[in-house]
């Protein structure tokens, strides 16, 4: 059946549309005349001028390739055409019009005449720079993530070592170390919400002081955002000051107050004052602990400034000065409010917890955390069901007798919501033990206590006991 002119035109229109949609540029290399035909789309993609040009045995095509890719690309194309009559390759090209280096993907087909003689090469090119840029960004992000994780692990190791050197009992070590991890976690959550671009001093202060003594603490100052390094340092410093104030200082009495104020200084940095009043009479400590060392050395260095601590009789006063290097511009994304006290709804227990006879389901995908939970709940007298590390494992355990459950919010990328819904339908209480904040996908539609990681297992046990006793 003969092909009509209208059908030919339709096929041509379809080809044009396909090339345009895919942002492809077509070309033809006449091997007999050694002429390279550059189409308008090919010119737009490569920067070559439109028209028919002497190919120079292929030099017109290869000369624009990046020097590091030129010979390998030529070899790949020529060997592939000899072997299969076609080729497909990617390379960098330096555009002829503006000198930009772009990534190109090129495919071609060798056309032969009736006698088998190669007469031309027909092909298409595509600018794939965006994909290579995205791959490079992904590699950079993974490298940065690896760097940050190693830094966090090293910091945690150092905190553990320094805390252990300055505590005299296991209970004291666990309580102190857990508090410091909480401070780090709070700062990191704020940084994550701002895509690791910075954290506001006001948010750091609220996260550390907001839940301690709402009517005895206040903080005020301009909106200033700190680098991740400075934010972590200040968060730890505020935690140490708050801990000491609760144990020995102004917050150890109902009449004491803590006032935290900061202001920007002329060089672009800031100055922060922590002032305690109304508490017990203060005397300088006989022995300096890790908190004092952190304030005196680490905080000042990490903030490129200095720290002064005064043990006034009426209350401790701390002046912290930081340079402009610790301050960053306001990030594009900033959390609306601190997340630590808003999310964590369970306080630390004041005594041992008794879970004797309670059958408690543990759903946690991190093996070490699950083992820690299992040990802690068993020590409190509970009969542990699980642990379940996957959503399917948790669902399979629901037909057993369960008195309460501890649920991680996310199990290897899957929401724990189906388990929570099934438990709620049966009237079984549960506690969320999660690393997610209020806006990060935790299943907060349920009326259940929430404990943020890193947590103290005794806190989880106390929360389980509380929901059981509430029945």
């Amino acid at each position: 059946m003969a092909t009509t002119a209208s059908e030919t035109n339709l096929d041509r229109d379809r080809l044009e549309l396909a090339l345009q949609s895919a942002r492809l540029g077509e070309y033809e290399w006449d091997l007999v005349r050694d002429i390279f035909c550059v189409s308008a789309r090919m010119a737009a993609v490569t920067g070559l001028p439109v028209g028919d040009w002497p190919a120079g045995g292929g030099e017109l095509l290869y000369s624009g390739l990046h020097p590091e890719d030129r010979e390998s690309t030529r070899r790949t194309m020529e060997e592939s055409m000899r072997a299969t009559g076609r080729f497909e390759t990617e390379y960098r090209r330096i555009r002829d019009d503006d000198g930009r280096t772009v990534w190109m993907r090129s495919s071609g087909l060798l056309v032969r005449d009736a006698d088998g003689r190669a007469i031309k090469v027909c092909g298409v090119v595509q600018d794939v720079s965006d994909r290579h840029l995205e791959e490079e960004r992904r590699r950079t992000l993974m490298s940065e993530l690896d760097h940050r994780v190693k830094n966090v692990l090293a910091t945690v190791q150092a905190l553990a070592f320094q805390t252990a050197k300055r505590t005299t009992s296991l209970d004291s070590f666990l309580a102190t170390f857990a508090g410091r991890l909480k401070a780090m976690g709070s700062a990191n959550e704020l940084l994550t919400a701002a895509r690791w671009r910075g954290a506001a001093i006001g948010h750091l202060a609220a996260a550390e002081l907001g839940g301690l003594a709402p009517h005895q603490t206040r903080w005020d100052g301009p909106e200033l955002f700190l680098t991740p390094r400075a934010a972590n340092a200040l968060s730890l410093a505020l935690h140490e000051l708050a801990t000491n104030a609760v144990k020995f200082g102004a917050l150890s009495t109902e009449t004491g107050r803590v006032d935290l104020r900061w202001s920007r200084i002329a060089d672009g940095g800031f100055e922060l004052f922590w002032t305690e009043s109304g508490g017990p009479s203060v005397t300088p400590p006989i022995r300096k602990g890790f908190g004092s060392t952190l304030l005196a050395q680490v905080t000042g260095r990490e903030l490129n400034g200095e720290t002064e601590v005064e043990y006034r009789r009426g209350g401790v006063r701390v002046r912290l000065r930081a340079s402009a290097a610790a301050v960053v511009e306001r990030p594009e994304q900033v959390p609306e409010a601190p997340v630590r006290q808003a999310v964590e709804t369970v306080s630390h227990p004041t005594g041992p917890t008794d879970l004797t006879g309670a059958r408690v389901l543990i759903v946690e995908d991190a093996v070490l955390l699950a083992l820690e939970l299992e040990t802690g709940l068993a020590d409190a007298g509970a009969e542990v069901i699980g642990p379940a590390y996957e959503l399917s494992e948790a669902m399979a355990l629901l037909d057993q007798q369960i008195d309460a459950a501890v649920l991680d919010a996310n199990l290897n990328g899957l929401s724990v919501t189906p388990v929570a819904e099934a438990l709620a339908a049966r009237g079984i209480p549960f506690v969320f033990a999660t690393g997610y904040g209020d806006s990060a996908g935790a299943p907060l539609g349920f009326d259940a206590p929430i404990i943020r990681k890193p947590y103290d297992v005794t806190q989880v046990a106390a929360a389980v006991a509380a929901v059981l006793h509430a029945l």
Side-chain angles (χ1 to χ4, degrees):
M1 188 175 192
T3 302
T4 66
S6 61
E7 289 175 332
T8 300
N9 291 335
L10 180 60
D11 289 340
R12 185 180 297 110
D13 291 341
R14 287 172 176 168
L15 177 60
E16 292 282 336
L17 181 61
L19 291 172
Q20 183 177 353
S21 299
R23 297 182 180 179
L24 295 171
E26 74 278 16
Y27 64 89
E28 184 176 299
W29 179 8
D30 186 331
L31 298 176
V32 178
R33 296 187 300 148
D34 198 23
I35 296 296
F36 199 85
C37 177
V38 179
S39 68
R41 278 186 292 266
M42 172 76 168
V45 172
T46 64
L48 287 167
V50 178
D52 296 342
W53 304 95
E59 283 305 313
L60 178 67
L61 176 66
Y62 299 128
S63 63
L65 271 61
H66 192 285
E68 295 178 3
D69 298 344
R70 188 174 302 150
E71 291 307 315
S72 62
T73 301
R74 179 199 291 266
R75 185 167 55 253
T76 296
M77 293 173 63
E78 292 178 352
E79 290 178 355
S80 184
M81 279 195 292
R82 281 196 296 268
T84 66
R86 64 182 64 235
F87 70 87
E88 185 172 334
T89 185
E90 290 190 7
Y91 51 84
R92 286 170 292 175
R93 181 176 184 84
I94 301 174
R95 288 180 60 103
D96 295 63
D97 52 354
D98 56 18
R100 290 186 298 115
T101 298
V102 294
W103 274 98
M104 308 297 300
R105 181 171 179 264
S106 180
S107 302
L109 176 68
L110 184 65
V111 180
R112 299 180 183 275
D113 62 12
D115 298 324
R117 184 180 60 152
I119 57 173
K120 63 181 176 180
V121 175
C122 297
V124 293
V125 293
Q126 182 180 27
D127 187 333
V128 292
S129 300
D130 288 347
R131 176 167 61 79
H132 279 269
L133 180 60
E134 183 60 33
E135 290 173 354
E136 181 61 30
R137 286 174 179 163
R138 190 176 296 112
R139 285 192 293 268
T140 300
L141 286 173
M142 291 303 296
S143 176
E144 179 65 18
L145 177 62
D146 178 65
H147 171 71
R148 288 178 182 170
V149 168
K150 288 177 179 176
N151 271 351
V152 168
L153 291 175
T155 302
V156 170
Q157 184 182 46
L159 277 178
F161 181 72
Q162 293 294 335
T163 304
K165 282 179 62 177
R166 291 169 169 83
T167 52
T168 57
S169 70
L170 178 60
D171 288 344
S172 177
F173 167 79
L174 291 175
T176 304
F177 184 57
R180 287 168 179 163
L181 283 184
K182 282 286 186 184
M184 283 187 60
S186 179
N188 277 267
E189 189 168 337
L190 290 168
L191 289 167
T192 300
R195 294 187 176 181
W196 214 257
R197 294 291 186 265
I201 296 178
H203 287 180
L204 294 171
E208 192 58 50
L209 298 177
L212 286 178
H215 303 295
Q216 295 178 252
T217 59
R218 65 178 181 180
W219 53 91
D220 185 54
E223 185 180 65
L224 288 176
F225 289 85
L226 308 186
T227 66
R229 181 173 176 175
N232 273 299
L234 182 60
S235 182
L236 280 173
L238 293 178
H239 171 73
E240 296 301 325
L241 289 169
T243 299
N244 287 334
V246 169
K247 288 182 177 180
F248 316 111
L251 300 184
S252 65
T253 66
E254 295 183 358
T255 59
R257 294 186 63 85
V258 168
D259 186 80
L260 180 66
R261 296 184 180 275
W262 62 92
S263 59
R264 189 183 288 272
I265 54 180
D267 66 358
F270 69 91
E271 195 169 48
L272 178 147
F273 290 92
W274 169 286
T275 305
E276 297 183 30
S277 61
S281 178
V282 174
T283 58
I286 299 174
R287 182 179 66 88
K288 287 189 176 182
F290 176 59
S292 298
T293 301
L294 186 145
L295 284 170
Q297 297 182 26
V298 179
T299 304
R301 290 182 182 275
E302 295 287 1
L303 294 172
N304 296 295
E306 58 184 12
T307 307
E308 295 179 359
V309 181
E310 298 179 65
Y311 296 97
R312 299 177 174 181
R313 182 172 295 276
V316 173
R317 183 177 185 273
V318 178
R319 183 183 73 87
L320 189 151
R321 188 182 180 93
S323 74
V327 180
V328 294
E329 295 294 326
R330 191 181 200 277
E332 293 181 2
Q333 292 190 353
V334 178
E336 292 183 3
V339 286
R340 179 172 174 186
Q341 273 70 32
V343 174
E344 187 164 289
T345 59
V346 179
S347 59
H348 286 273
T350 56
T353 301
D354 184 9
L355 293 175
T356 302
R359 293 173 56 83
V360 182
L361 170 66
I362 296 176
V363 182
E364 169 61 64
D365 61 358
V367 176
L368 287 178
L369 283 179
L371 292 176
E372 185 182 8
L373 282 171
E374 185 176 12
T375 301
L377 295 178
D379 287 346
E383 180 181 343
V384 173
I385 300 173
Y389 301 102
E390 303 282 349
L391 182 60
S392 58
E393 293 176 350
M395 297 299 290
L397 292 174
L398 292 178
D399 59 354
Q400 299 189 35
Q401 180 187 340
I402 301 171
D403 298 315
V406 178
L407 308 178
D408 187 5
N410 183 287
L411 301 171
N412 295 312
L414 297 176
S415 172
V416 80
T417 298
V419 179
E421 289 175 339
L423 292 171
R426 291 171 54 185
I428 299 173
F430 50 86
V431 173
F432 286 120
T434 176
Y436 286 108
D438 191 36
S439 61
L444 301 184
F446 298 96
D447 184 17
I450 303 167
I451 305 172
R452 285 183 52 245
K453 298 174 181 177
Y455 50 67
D456 185 337
V457 177
T458 60
Q459 191 181 7
V460 179
V464 172
V467 296
L468 285 171
H469 293 155
L471 293 178

